[in-house]
Amino acid sequence: MKTIATYDSAAGTFTLEKNIWRGTFPIADLPKWLAFYRHQMQRYPAQAGNYALDVEALEMLAKQLEDRERGAR
């Protein structure tokens, strides 16, 4: 079950999608969601692998946004 995180610059949001679940949030909340899923990994070790996919997708999105911002300077 792969997790995909996408950014909508026009709306200022990101969408996290996994299986049939999908959630869209303000881009400013990206660090909050990363922290949440990292905490879930620690809190529920038996499910850490599932949460790791969410963390990986969000980290990848955060890196893409950082790279985009660096390129715009």
Side-chain angles (χ1 to χ4, degrees):
M1 217 179 340
K2 184 174 179 158
T3 303
I4 300 169
T6 55
Y7 176 55
D8 182 343
S9 60
T13 61
F14 72 95
T15 299
L16 193 61
E17 191 172 349
K18 185 175 189 173
N19 255 355
I20 61 170
W21 182 88
R22 171 186 234 167
T24 300
F25 312 96
I27 195 65
D29 288 349
L30 179 60
K32 177 182 90 171
W33 282 104
L34 252 172
F36 170 78
Y37 283 113
R38 287 176 178 148
H39 179 74
Q40 293 297 91
M41 287 175 66
Q42 294 172 349
R43 191 170 178 193
Y44 303 105
Q47 297 300 319
N50 289 326
Y51 292 119
L53 297 172
D54 303 324
V55 169
E56 182 181 332
L58 292 172
E59 286 176 341
M60 204 175 332
L61 177 60
K63 180 163 178 16
Q64 289 171 357
L65 294 174
E66 286 173 16
D67 291 347
R68 181 185 291 177
E69 189 173 310
R70 265 190 244 133
R73 292 181 194 169

